[in-house]
Amino acid sequence: MCGITGWVSFDRDLRDEAATLDAMTETMACRGPDDRGTWIEGPAALGHRRLAIIDLPGGRQPMTAGTPDGTVALVYSGETYNFTELRRELTGRGHRFTTDSDTEAVLRGYLEWGDAVAERLNGMYAFAVWDGRHDKLVMIRDRMGIKPFYCFPTSDGVLFGSEPKAVLANPLAGARVGLDGLRELFTLVKTPGHAVWEGMREVEPGTVVTVDRAGLHTRTYWSLQTRAHPDDRDTTVATVRSLLDDIVRRQLVADVPRCTLLSGGLDSSALTAIAALQLAEQGEKVRSFSVDFVGQSDHFVADELRATPDTPFVHDVARLSRTEHQDIVLDAQTLADPGVRARVIRARDLPMGFGDMDASLLLLFRAVRDQSTVALSGESADEVFGGYLQFFDEEARAADTFPWLAMAARHFGDDSSVLRPDLAKTLDLESYIADSYRTAVSAIRRLDGESDFEYRMRQICHLHLTRFVRLLLDRKDRMSMAVGLEVRVPYCDHRLVEYVYNTPWSLKSFDGREKSLLREAAADVVPRSVYDRVKSPYPSTQDPRYGLALQEQVKDLLARPGHRVFDLVDREKLHRAAHRDTPVSTQSARHGLEGALDLATWLDLYTPELSFG
């Protein structure tokens, strides 16, 4: 896992721009604390920061290969889990390897198959190849969008990076956000390719982007396709388990300490249990980590989203699977620390308003990183197997919008409610969401003979797998890489995603519950308490001291009437939220406070030029 960046300028010799390349590369230092490297040749400049995971001495980058027709150079971020098979095949085709790294397998795969190497990779990756034989840059991103990748087309080439901050470090890319960027920022629709920053775009998941003297060209090498599912229930459950066994075995490969992130839910418990069985074959134990809050287990209050605290279930799994477990317990003061909020915003490059859920994730990862370099996460199982409330809520199912927005409106209120009324009118977020939803649904193919209900559930699954999951994957990557921790997401293996997506909803929920297939596939390895547990989202603190700290910080912000945040946020609404008498101990009660503080912090750190015209 690493951070990559680069610049292609066909009208200049970039050897004169080494200082700019260095500045772009150094923004990725957190993603790659172990090593750095740059490479410049004529119109191409590549930068790399390395987090060493496999072949610690041999995987340095940028990695190059000389050919009679020119140099081919690679910067790569991520992991290729089938690199052993690729290496074997390439060796049989005459390639000679000088390292044991998966990076070299990708480089030599490109030399053999060109950009068609993308179809052969199993993993999470974002990489760029400068092909000096043809004077072109090739950028490739993994199928699900696990690893972030951004580019900024210029008049004579392109800038690119793992994160926007790498691109913004180049003077050609101004830190500007217009109305369309604000619309994307204030909605949770995750428009494919949209990067919020003006002129910047995401390299979309499952695509190859080529930049040459003729311009920029995009090819889709993978997308989620509708297919018939011929298997019965028993075969489907067995196939899911077989896939999980293979996926976990592949993703446990590392030359550094690894662990699991354990929440006590079905998703992470299943991975932890399978990993424990596999490592036991080698005489090893799984390390597991969970997050908790001071006093939360003893004073937990159930609500519509969370019926039970995580910790008792976490400990059940740890006992059964004999993991070396550690609870990371966080207090309200640390969660509310403005310095932690600033680190979160720096990591994400944008104010996403996830509040304590972002802060706690960053702090959890920081603690885990002291003992492990690689962690397996249960992220995306809800999207793959159908775990969220909106999959079962009749109102959300029927809503003519993204189902998670229908649920969010019920639990958290309207995201635009803290915005200035004049800005809210100009942004017209309702129309933006409606247009985005229509575009998203139009791309989903109906299976021949599929009932109206099954087709609707296919739509809901597709929207979660191509829109919502990308929000969470980006969050997980940014928070983990901010502290140099590689988080792997087994449930995003494209083989599993394709297989489960095409199982009918009647099979996904055959017992009338969420994630029926996963529950049965892991029934023999998880505790009965976890098997029976109802889905609970990522934890959020209930400590009223956290809400009080937010109110005090917002009061301080209100005392600065000239702050730019009030170009966006309604002062009176924020004043009422900061001075309310009732406790702000729930997510919904403090949502506006967290959003305003995130916005203010972002404006202070990035000083973006905002355009409302």
Side-chain angles (χ1 to χ4, degrees):
M1 193 75 77
C2 307
I4 65 172
T5 190
W7 182 5
V8 170
S9 176
F10 291 108
D11 292 344
R12 70 177 88 186
D13 187 335
L14 291 181
R15 286 175 294 187
D16 298 330
E17 300 289 348
T20 300
L21 178 64
D22 285 343
M24 296 169 70
T25 303
E26 288 314 297
T27 66
M28 299 287 95
C30 289
R31 296 186 71 90
D34 297 329
D35 196 10
R36 73 175 302 279
T38 58
W39 177 89
I40 304 177
E41 185 175 281
L46 306 178
H48 187 265
R49 291 288 315 208
R50 186 183 183 208
L51 175 62
I53 302 294
I54 294 174
D55 187 10
L56 306 191
R60 297 197 68 193
Q61 298 183 50
M63 188 174 285
T64 61
T67 78
D69 300 314
T71 301
V72 177
L74 168 72
V75 281
Y76 172 87
S77 170
E79 302 293 342
T80 297
Y81 302 124
N82 64 332
F83 79 95
T84 301
E85 296 96 317
L86 286 174
R87 182 187 178 96
R88 188 182 306 120
E89 181 178 359
L90 289 163
T91 299
R93 289 173 174 264
H95 291 265
R96 296 293 174 262
F97 286 77
T98 59
T99 76
D100 294 324
S101 69
D102 60 335
T103 303
E104 188 177 8
V106 174
L107 175 59
R108 299 203 171 276
Y110 177 82
L111 292 172
E112 180 69 27
W113 299 299
D115 65 32
V117 68
E119 285 91 335
R120 295 174 176 265
L121 302 180
N122 177 307
M124 55 178 189
Y125 46 84
F127 62 92
V129 179
W130 171 253
D131 192 336
R133 301 169 301 180
H134 307 290
D135 273 4
K136 67 178 182 181
L137 181 76
V138 178
M139 297 179 284
I140 298 177
R141 190 176 182 195
D142 66 65
R143 295 168 180 84
M144 293 295 291
I146 305 168
K147 303 314 297 175
F149 204 175
Y150 295 84
C151 66
F152 187 101
T154 65
S155 60
D156 69 335
V158 71
L159 312 171
F160 69 85
S162 292
E163 299 179 6
K165 61 176 65 68
V167 175
L168 294 173
N170 189 302
L172 293 178
R176 292 183 293 272
V177 177
L179 283 177
D180 210 41
L182 292 174
R183 293 182 179 107
E184 186 69 17
L185 179 62
F186 294 136
T187 57
L188 292 174
V189 300
K190 200 66 177 90
T191 304
H194 208 303
V196 176
W197 301 96
E198 269 192 13
M200 196 182 300
R201 53 178 285 186
E202 278 192 312
V203 176
E204 293 186 37
T207 66
V208 176
V209 177
T210 302
V211 181
D212 56 26
R213 294 181 184 277
L216 186 147
H217 323 276
T218 300
R219 174 178 76 85
T220 299
Y221 72 88
W222 184 87
S223 61
L224 195 57
Q225 297 295 314
T226 297
R227 299 187 181 94
H229 182 79
D231 296 344
D232 62 16
R233 181 198 297 179
D234 290 345
T235 303
T236 301
V237 170
T239 301
V240 167
R241 178 55 180 272
S242 176
L243 283 168
L244 285 175
D245 286 341
D246 179 69
I247 292 164
V248 171
R249 193 174 298 278
R250 290 176 182 274
Q251 297 199 20
L252 283 173
V253 174
D255 295 334
V256 293
R258 62 255 199 261
C259 67
T260 65
L261 304 174
L262 180 58
S263 71
L266 178 62
D267 317 337
S268 62
S269 299
L271 292 183
T272 298
I274 293 172
L277 289 173
Q278 294 181 359
L279 290 181
E281 298 169 1
Q282 307 166 33
E284 296 184 52
K285 284 189 173 184
V286 170
R287 292 182 179 183
S288 60
F289 296 87
S290 65
V291 66
D292 198 5
F293 307 101
V294 173
Q296 183 108 326
S297 295
D298 295 331
H299 306 291
F300 179 81
V301 178
D303 58 28
E304 188 177 349
L305 289 177
R306 299 173 179 86
T308 52
D310 288 346
T311 300
F313 300 92
V314 166
H315 292 172
D316 285 349
V317 176
R319 279 191 296 269
L320 182 63
S321 294
R322 296 188 172 94
T323 74
E324 296 178 358
H325 181 74
Q326 183 176 345
D327 296 322
I328 307 302
V329 183
L330 306 174
D331 59 65
Q333 182 179 2
T334 305
L335 288 171
D337 184 348
V340 172
R341 181 178 298 110
R343 287 200 66 184
V344 166
I345 300 301
R346 279 287 189 198
R348 301 199 71 171
D349 290 313
L350 291 171
M352 299 303 295
F354 280 40
D356 74 300
M357 293 195 298
D358 269 353
S360 65
L361 197 62
L362 179 72
L363 294 167
L364 167 65
F365 289 159
R366 187 171 70 183
V368 171
R369 183 62 175 88
D370 289 338
Q371 302 178 57
S372 292
T373 311
V374 171
L376 269 61
S377 165
E379 192 76 84
S380 80
D382 287 309
E383 290 81 4
V384 174
F385 290 98
Y388 293 118
L389 283 175
Q390 56 262 30
F391 283 92
F392 296 87
D393 184 90
E394 293 297 334
E395 184 179 331
R397 280 173 169 175
D400 192 27
T401 189
F402 296 100
W404 56 89
L405 294 185
M407 294 298 290
R410 186 186 309 171
H411 292 291
F412 302 112
D414 185 355
D415 250 358
S416 64
S417 62
V418 296
L419 297 181
R420 289 170 51 121
D422 55 338
L423 177 60
K425 182 178 180 180
T426 300
L427 292 175
D428 190 9
L429 298 182
E430 186 176 334
S431 294
Y432 185 77
I433 292 169
D435 290 345
S436 182
Y437 176 72
R438 284 191 292 269
T439 299
V441 170
S442 68
I444 305 169
R445 189 177 75 80
R446 185 171 189 163
L447 188 68
D448 291 344
E450 198 166 45
S451 70
D452 289 346
F453 175 73
E454 283 287 353
Y455 179 49
R456 178 55 183 161
M457 296 312 298
R458 179 182 294 279
Q459 289 178 324
I460 291 174
C461 292
H462 194 283
L463 292 171
H464 279 83
L465 288 166
T466 58
R467 295 291 190 108
F468 190 66
V469 76
R470 294 178 186 176
L471 288 165
L472 301 185
L473 289 172
D474 185 75
R475 169 177 176 259
K476 185 67 62 80
D477 175 89
R478 301 298 193 87
M479 294 297 101
S480 61
M481 294 307 292
V483 298
L485 176 70
E486 174 175 292
V487 173
R488 299 178 177 179
V489 281
Y491 292 113
C492 276
D493 186 294
H494 70 280
R495 298 169 299 163
L496 181 68
V497 172
E498 291 171 346
Y499 184 77
V500 177
Y501 169 66
N502 281 300
T503 60
W505 181 251
S506 59
L507 194 51
K508 286 189 179 79
S509 59
F510 65 78
D511 59 1
R513 296 186 58 191
E514 76 282 359
K515 295 181 284 194
S516 306
L517 292 174
L518 178 58
R519 183 176 297 102
E520 288 308 306
D524 63 319
V525 294
V526 300
R528 186 70 199 191
S529 60
V530 171
Y531 181 93
D532 291 334
R533 190 186 186 194
V534 175
K535 159 70 183 175
S536 185
Y538 181 85
S540 178
T541 182
Q542 296 181 344
D543 192 330
R545 289 171 294 186
Y546 174 71
L548 290 172
L550 295 181
Q551 286 182 299
E552 290 305 311
Q553 291 172 26
V554 168
K555 289 175 184 177
D556 290 341
L557 182 60
L558 288 164
R560 302 161 60 193
H563 197 286
R564 294 180 65 204
V565 74
F566 298 113
D567 292 337
L568 303 171
V569 172
D570 186 283
R571 281 181 51 84
E572 290 305 314
K573 290 179 181 178
L574 198 58
H575 183 275
R576 289 195 296 271
H579 290 83
R580 62 186 297 179
D581 295 327
T582 54
V584 285
S585 57
T586 64
Q587 279 183 279
S588 57
R590 60 182 184 245
H591 189 56
L593 299 174
E594 291 173 323
L597 290 169
D598 276 7
L599 276 170
T601 303
W602 175 63
L603 291 167
D604 289 341
L605 291 174
Y606 284 79
T607 61
E609 177 187 335
L610 302 179
S611 173
F612 302 113

